[in-house]
Amino acid sequence: MKKPILLLIIFLNCLPDGHAQLLKKLMKKKDKSGDTEMMEETMPVSPNRKTEENPTLIIGGDDKVAIDSSYEFDWAVYQESEAFQGSQRVIDGGEDIVIYYSSTSPAFCIQLFSRSTGTRYHFYGDFGKESQLSLAGVAGIASGDKARLELEGMEPVYPGEIGYLSQLTRTGAKKVIAGVACEEYVAHNLRNDPRVVNTNHAKVTAYVWIPMDPHSVFPGYSLMPEHFKMQIERMRTEGSYPPVVMPLEMFLEYGNGDKVFTHTTHIIINERRKVQLADINK
């Protein structure tokens, strides 16, 4: 158990600020129990003791939250992000992203792979079970936390850490991206957000292209429990962005001149795929 934790700590030091904070959060629960685990390893194993089914994937969080070990999706949005320092593209920077949606259940999944660190991040949102799961993995070892799904404050891992953006303002611009009608919004980072205060990214401007009809990429959207639909509409009316249907294009400009551009390469529909939680270690 000590060796996997040391590997995660080593790779954590190489991560960008936003993703490193996520990995730290996911490791926090495991670190607190480290002493107990070391003691248990030195004690005789009780014949009634439950063995760990998958020691390379440790999931903590709220024990009252139920999650599935696999999900079926039939829509896939493939995206890439590129990072720039000024006008210079960062070689081996950015991420490869796949966003899975379902037409038969109110569930979606985001899988992000960092080219610079080799770290994988997965997020599962299941509106039927009202649960969410965040995973981070590197070198064949992953950990994560499950929690009750709450739209307020929900922040799936995504380039630019969109959770700290303020109200989105509709610009009126519209265009079709990969066959989907989208409209543009502009937003800025929230004041005094601890994730950007006193960093090089203290000022962020985001240009975000969001599908005009959420059903156009997430058919299972209509199957959500009614209270989620009402909350989403209220949040959109107030100008906030519930991260349920992800942007198809986004351009971020940071205060120090850094930029991140995320775009959709293609969308595949009606192709069923079963996604396992253990896929993060593949």
Side-chain angles (χ1 to χ4, degrees):
M1 181 59 67
K2 294 168 64 179
K3 184 175 180 181
I5 294 175
L6 288 174
L7 280 173
L8 283 173
I9 292 173
I10 291 170
F11 278 90
L12 180 61
N13 291 328
C14 303
L15 298 180
D17 288 343
H19 291 164
Q21 289 171 7
L22 172 65
L23 195 52
K24 286 179 181 176
K25 180 180 178 182
L26 298 181
M27 290 177 61
K28 185 176 181 182
K29 180 180 178 67
K30 184 171 59 177
D31 288 344
K32 287 182 177 179
S33 62
D35 292 342
T36 303
E37 290 173 347
M38 289 174 62
M39 288 177 61
E40 289 180 351
E41 288 174 358
T42 63
M43 297 293 288
V45 178
S46 168
N48 296 324
R49 179 182 171 185
K50 183 179 178 180
T51 57
E52 178 65 58
E53 293 181 1
N54 186 353
T56 65
L57 177 58
I58 301 171
I59 298 175
D62 189 343
D63 291 335
K64 294 179 292 186
V65 173
I67 59 173
D68 294 329
S69 60
S70 65
Y71 295 85
E72 286 194 0
F73 302 103
D74 50 7
W75 286 59
V77 178
Y78 289 84
Q79 298 183 336
E80 296 178 357
S81 75
E82 298 176 290
F84 296 85
Q85 291 181 339
S87 59
Q88 187 69 35
R89 182 176 179 273
V90 178
I91 299 175
D92 294 329
E95 295 95 0
D96 296 318
I97 308 147
V98 185
I99 308 166
Y100 293 106
Y101 298 103
S102 173
S103 63
T104 58
S105 66
F108 73 105
C109 169
I110 301 172
Q111 297 185 355
L112 182 148
F113 173 74
S114 171
R115 301 189 201 109
S116 60
T117 66
T119 307
R120 298 180 185 276
Y121 302 90
H122 290 189
F123 178 88
Y124 295 84
D126 186 341
F127 291 90
K129 283 187 166 60
E130 300 194 12
S131 66
Q132 64 179 31
L133 172 65
S134 296
L135 299 173
V138 65
I141 303 166
S143 63
D145 276 338
K146 58 181 180 176
R148 185 175 177 81
L149 194 152
E150 301 283 354
L151 289 177
E152 297 283 357
M154 184 176 79
E155 186 179 348
V157 63
Y158 195 74
E161 305 297 332
I162 59 176
Y164 58 63
L165 297 178
S166 64
Q167 287 193 338
L168 284 88
T169 303
R170 186 184 283 110
T171 67
K174 296 179 176 63
K175 70 176 176 179
V176 176
I177 301 173
V180 177
C182 299
E183 55 186 342
E184 185 187 43
Y185 293 78
V186 64
H188 304 279
N189 60 291
L190 295 170
R191 288 185 179 182
N192 301 321
D193 190 287
R195 286 166 291 190
V196 291
V197 169
N198 298 324
T199 72
N200 290 333
H201 290 170
K203 182 180 180 181
V204 187
T205 301
Y207 302 90
V208 186
W209 290 89
I210 300 173
M212 297 177 67
D213 178 8
H215 299 86
S216 60
V217 292
F218 187 3
Y221 184 92
S222 60
L223 302 176
M224 287 184 189
E226 199 62 34
H227 67 92
F228 280 123
K229 294 179 185 177
M230 294 174 61
Q231 187 179 2
I232 290 171
E233 289 306 312
R234 177 180 58 78
M235 291 173 70
R236 294 182 65 178
T237 300
E238 294 173 352
S240 60
Y241 176 61
V244 176
V245 176
M246 306 308 290
L248 292 191
E249 191 172 295
M250 184 165 64
F251 181 70
L252 295 163
E253 289 185 302
Y254 293 98
N256 66 341
D258 289 352
K259 302 177 181 66
V260 176
F261 176 57
T262 303
H263 64 283
T264 297
T265 57
H266 56 286
I267 299 175
I268 296 178
I269 65 174
N270 298 325
E271 184 175 292
R272 288 202 163 274
R273 175 174 175 179
K274 180 174 285 189
V275 177
Q276 309 276 351
L277 300 188
D279 288 348
I280 193 168
N281 285 328
K282 289 185 177 179

